[in-house]
Amino acid sequence: MFYCIFRQALFLAFATFFLLIQPMMTTNVEDHRFSHKTTLSDHTFTIVEKNNKKGMFDEEGQVIIPIAYDDLGWSKGLPEVFNKVIGYREGYHWGLLNLKNEKVTGAEFTSLLPYNDNYIIASRGKKGRNGREFGVIDTNGKEILPFRYHSLQPSGNFLVASTLQSEGPLYGLINLKGNAFIEFKYSGMSQLSRQTYAVKNAAGKAGIFTVEGKPLTSFVYDSISVFQNRLAVVFVGGRQGLIREDGVMLVRPEYDRIRVNPDNTVSALPFNKWYLINKENQITGHLNYDSIQPAGKGIFKIFIDDKIENFVNLKGNMLVSDQWQIHALENDFAILKRNGKYGVMLLEKADEQRVILEPVYDSLFVDNGYVVACKDIGTSQGEKAWAVFDKEGRKLTYYSYQKIEKSSDGFFVVKRKNHWGFINAKGEEIVPCQYIEAAPFREGKARVDFIEGQGIIDTTGAWLVKPFKKNGVKLQLQYINDNLYIFRTDKQYATTAYGLINSNEDEVYSTYAELIDNGNTVWEKDANGNYGLVSYEGKRMLETKHDSISQLQEDTVYIFNKEDKWGILSKTGKILKNTNNTFQELQPMSDEYMGVKINNKFGFVDALGRLRIANRYDSITSFQSGLSAVKIMGKWGYINKSEKLVVQPQFDRAYSFKGQLAIVELNGKFGLVNKSGETILPLVYSKINRTVTGNYIVERAKTSDSDIKNVGLVSSEGKLLIYPKYDKLQDLGNNYVIITRDDNYGLVTKFGENKIPLKYDTLIYDAYNEIYLGLEKATWETKPIPN
């Protein structure tokens, strides 16, 4: 901050001085823009800019270098004068210029960067893999180091250099004579201290070398920090350790974080410890990672420092080397990835994992216990060679296919010689590749495109519906059932015709509106969004003029509406209730009744639209388990289908019955009632939530601000299983419940019997392995730095 203020003040002072001496100057400097000050010995120079050109003045405002260059300075860093020379740029190239405005070199370099004493790192050529070459010149422009390097980086009295080989750049350490102190055979190199370098091998692993090229460690590290006070942090698989400058390991890389303290101590944060615990509180092992997720039988997905993720087995061993990656898990398979290629590992047993396909495939997927993979065969058209493999990695297909789609009905759709066919799970081509297009089998039938149009074949390739044209136009078919298909004319035609056709090729219905199968009949939808209804036999059941038509309700009726008018249609197409009625709203059928709104009040009608329960209620729910919640005079109760009040309207809110019980609310308190209206669970709870297991998690109303341990469990019959004394509960559905209190986690049975004590920082149920993962968070450890 101080430096910035000082620099601004200096700039303003110089600007004032510049204006005062302006009349004495030998050149017009009006409208110059000051871009940078640079100092050489006791002389200060200022680079100025005008009209996108740059020059340099001395501290008296005299022109040292006229404003004539595209840039002055260096291709990187500050534009400082270096040993009485400075770089200049003309167009895209750089050269050297002295303070007499004499060109030491022409503008022949693509980059210039000052280096040790009198030397400058320069490059020639164009950017790109085989373009720019680096070398070293002195301030007189003389070549000191030949231009034959892919890169050069200053490193004290040495240079980290690279040469370009077929496998990419290889790095070494050289002096200004080009002598290699560390040979050119490493994939990376960086300076750690005056005497040491981190060197990476072809596998990306780092070791420590001296400046003389002597290895101090083997290649075991992912990375190494810069040495400070002769100590550096090393990283292996996201774990940190501590190493001395002579290569001696002081703290093994097994910590989450390492911190060196000023008092000659080191602080280390271990990884969180995850205990593997069975339901009897027996610890069967532990894993040390930041966080962990169950991922499969005997498999966990682990995270290190929230960045590195991998998969380990029950013993904590990585499933694959750190040069590979598990791209995804698919049942008994792990899809591997390495250098953009894919392979497969079999995870059939919790204690055994083996690679069945090496990661050499360009694309891959798992389908019903089989692996479908492809390789790029390198043709100009980008052709792929697809094959199917079994769990042992054995190739099942005889041919190489251009494409294999996911299976259906045990058959794969395949493409060969630009035509489609089918293979079975054994890789046998049961239907030859002879079709223009093919859809997957469904119930033993598949739609295929032939020259004449679309047809339907069985698993032997025999025609069930032969391809044919309608008025000379090819058809597209959509399967409805074994005997019926929706057809439409080819998409290339502006006016698309739809219809129904049976397996005898008989056209049973046709229209220019869209046909949509709903599972029992076909909706007809015109261009204006109006709906009609057509039977599978081709009979029109409702004209195409309605806003909506429901699916078949309880295998009995359809509900339709038009402009907020509601009607009922029988399953066979008979109008049971036309829209000329007083219905304001008609709800879906449930328990043979439909909720109806008439004159702003709710009741129920039957399938014929007859009012069976009078419209006397302010609100209703659908019938569930023979009862409906109804609201009258501001209170909720329950009625049966005979409109008998089985639970008097006394609640502020009542919810549908689930099984034998329903949740009710009064004065902000919740409880449970049964179908007889008896209060099974008193209305003293601030919350009640039904779990997927049918039990209820209840939260007892607080009696004071400090009363927070108030969550318990109630059975599906309304029996209090776990007294409300916990902060949270998780009903696992396996007769066990994870409990939380004061940020501690444990396990009890659904009857409240303690199994795993309340002492873990979190507890996760692993349903794959039927165990629990108990977290013990790590804390910092501090100890003297080992000698």
Side-chain angles (χ1 to χ4, degrees), residues 167-178:
E167 63 269 36
L170 295 180
Y171 290 81
L173 186 71
I174 62 174
N175 62 12
L176 283 171
K177 295 181 179 180

Side-chain angles (χ1 to χ4, degrees), residues 297-325:
K297 190 68 175 177
I299 304 170
F300 303 100
K301 186 175 185 178
I302 56 94
F303 300 87
I304 300 175
D305 198 23
D306 294 327
K307 297 175 183 176
I308 299 176
E309 60 181 65
N310 211 321
F311 292 84
V312 300
N313 59 21
L314 288 168
K315 296 179 180 178
N317 300 324
M318 298 288 182
L319 295 186
V320 294
S321 72
D322 54 6
Q323 298 304 307
W324 294 11
Q325 173 189 353

Side-chain angles (χ1 to χ4, degrees), residues 128-142:
R129 178 175 172 82
N130 297 308
R132 187 183 294 184
E133 293 182 318
F134 286 80
V136 175
I137 61 174
D138 64 14
T139 53
N140 295 316
K142 179 183 177 182

Side-chain angles (χ1 to χ4, degrees), residues 742-763:
D742 296 334
D743 294 326
N744 292 316
Y745 289 74
L747 184 75
V748 297
T749 69
K750 70 175 184 178
F751 301 109
E753 178 187 356
N754 289 319
K755 286 297 181 180
I756 297 177
L758 271 162
K759 68 175 188 177
Y760 293 99
D761 293 302
T762 195
L763 195 66

Side-chain angles (χ1 to χ4, degrees), residues 589-651:
M589 179 177 281
S590 178
D591 273 6
E592 300 177 344
Y593 278 10
M594 294 170 279
V596 66
K597 185 179 182 182
I598 303 172
N599 296 328
N600 297 320
K601 292 290 185 179
F602 289 89
F604 289 90
V605 296
D606 62 14
L608 298 176
R610 297 174 300 189
L611 193 64
R612 301 299 296 270
I613 295 177
N615 55 309
R616 66 174 94 244
Y617 302 104
D618 301 324
S619 188
I620 57 174
T621 67
S622 62
F623 272 97
Q624 300 287 336
S625 301
L627 298 179
S628 168
V630 296
K631 183 180 182 182
I632 187 168
M633 299 182 67
K635 292 295 182 180
W636 285 82
Y638 292 90
I639 60 173
N640 62 19
K641 293 176 70 175
S642 300
E643 203 182 359
K644 179 182 178 182
L645 275 168
V646 296
V647 180
Q648 291 297 320
Q650 56 184 300
F651 304 108

Side-chain angles (χ1 to χ4, degrees), residues 478-497:
Q478 176 189 339
Y479 177 90
I480 293 181
N481 58 44
D482 289 352
N483 191 48
L484 191 66
Y485 305 86
I486 294 175
F487 73 78
R488 64 181 177 186
T489 55
D490 198 296
K491 288 182 180 179
Q492 64 180 305
Y493 295 91
T495 303
T496 302

